[in-house]
Amino acid sequence: MSAVQALKKFRLHELKGLHGHISRFGPLSATESSSGVPLPNPFLPHKNPQTGRWAPPKYSLRRQAELIKKAKASNNLEILPPGPKMSAPAATVLSKRLDATVGSSQKLAVLDEALAFPVDWVGNPSHKSTDGSDLGARLYAGKKRMFKGHKWERVRERREAHHSMLLKDMDKRVRRYKKQHLKKRPNPLKVSRKTSTKLPF
């Protein structure tokens, strides 16, 4: 299946499922621009107003990524709704870049009128701003210590501080040790004490 045919199938599938979505989740909310046909965003979860439960998106993240790749290949990013994989401003910028690089004459034509009419997708993804997203390093952004490291690396600073504390008065400790053991050392000039040879039994 080509990229344009996959996008055509996606658009027709969403048109056919509009009545079922309204019967299940109620009428769609009003959009800012009423120039196109309002359709629910299949890339986002929807809340049931009667039960209060959230239904997962119709398309998984893997299928969303596949559709985005096909839309980029056919230069038809404006057909897809905004989602977690691509926001609406990003789709507009990418479509303009593709138009400038590929050119309007080389752009793949839409095979059917099912993709020609404008659509107002109801629902926009909420993108959370995370630390380090602008630098491309979100994994270690905002962390005091990047890696756990080995045990000897984690306790090295504490051990060095303990060693430096002991070495400050090491001379006094050595002299005190020698004096203490000098008293316990036997004197070779002193007469040894008589030991009893009697057995205790």
Side-chain angles (χ1 to χ4, degrees), residues 173-184:
R173 293 167 63 91
V174 171
R175 288 196 298 268
R176 186 168 62 250
Y177 175 82
K178 289 182 178 181
K179 288 181 180 180
Q180 182 180 1
H181 287 267
L182 184 62
K183 298 177 181 179
K184 296 181 180 180

Side-chain angles (χ1 to χ4, degrees), residues 76 78 158 187:
N76 289 308
E78 65 276 359
R158 184 176 61 186
N187 189 359

Side-chain angles (χ1 to χ4, degrees), residues 8-198:
K8 173 185 174 182
K9 183 179 179 181
F10 166 78
R11 179 65 67 86
L12 292 177
H13 180 72
E14 295 307 316
L15 283 173
K16 292 178 181 179
L18 177 59
H19 179 70
H21 180 88
I22 293 176
S23 61
R24 183 180 179 184
F25 296 100
L28 298 175
S29 58
T31 57
E32 297 179 357
S33 60
S34 59
S35 59
V37 179
L39 288 179
N41 193 338
F43 291 173
L44 300 177
H46 297 279
K47 184 177 181 181
N48 194 323
Q50 298 178 358
T51 61
R53 296 181 179 180
W54 286 87
K58 294 173 64 176
Y59 296 86
S60 63
L61 295 177
R62 180 180 61 83
R63 295 182 65 189
Q64 292 181 29
E66 291 177 355
L67 287 173
I68 291 173
K69 289 180 182 179
K70 293 179 180 179
K72 287 181 181 179
S74 61
N75 194 8
N76 289 308
L77 283 172
E78 65 276 359
I79 293 177
L80 297 179
K85 290 294 184 180
M86 183 180 61
S87 59
T92 305
V93 172
L94 286 175
S95 61
K96 289 181 179 179
R97 289 180 182 177
L98 290 174
D99 288 339
T101 55
V102 177
S104 59
S105 60
Q106 299 179 0
K107 183 177 179 179
L108 296 178
V110 178
L111 298 179
D112 197 88
E113 294 181 357
L115 302 178
F117 60 89
V119 172
D120 292 335
W121 298 104
V122 179
N124 291 318
S126 57
H127 294 278
K128 297 181 180 179
S129 60
T130 56
D131 297 336
S133 58
D134 53 343
L135 302 176
R138 294 183 300 175
L139 182 61
Y140 301 109
K143 292 187 177 180
K144 296 181 179 179
R145 185 170 55 190
M146 294 298 179
F147 302 98
K148 182 179 178 181
H150 297 281
K151 179 66 178 296
W152 66 270
E153 292 177 341
R154 299 197 299 268
V155 302
R156 179 173 55 186
E157 184 178 356
R158 184 176 61 186
R159 292 186 63 182
E160 289 178 354
H162 182 68
H163 289 171
S164 61
M165 180 189 67
L166 294 178
L167 290 174
K168 286 182 180 179
D169 55 346
M170 184 55 67
D171 296 337
K172 296 180 181 179
R173 293 167 63 91
V174 171
R175 288 196 298 268
R176 186 168 62 250
Y177 175 82
K178 289 182 178 181
K179 288 181 180 180
Q180 182 180 1
H181 287 267
L182 184 62
K183 298 177 181 179
K184 296 181 180 180
R185 186 182 304 174
N187 189 359
L189 301 179
K190 189 176 181 180
V191 180
S192 61
R193 294 182 301 174
K194 294 182 179 180
T195 59
S196 177
T197 57
K198 294 183 180 180

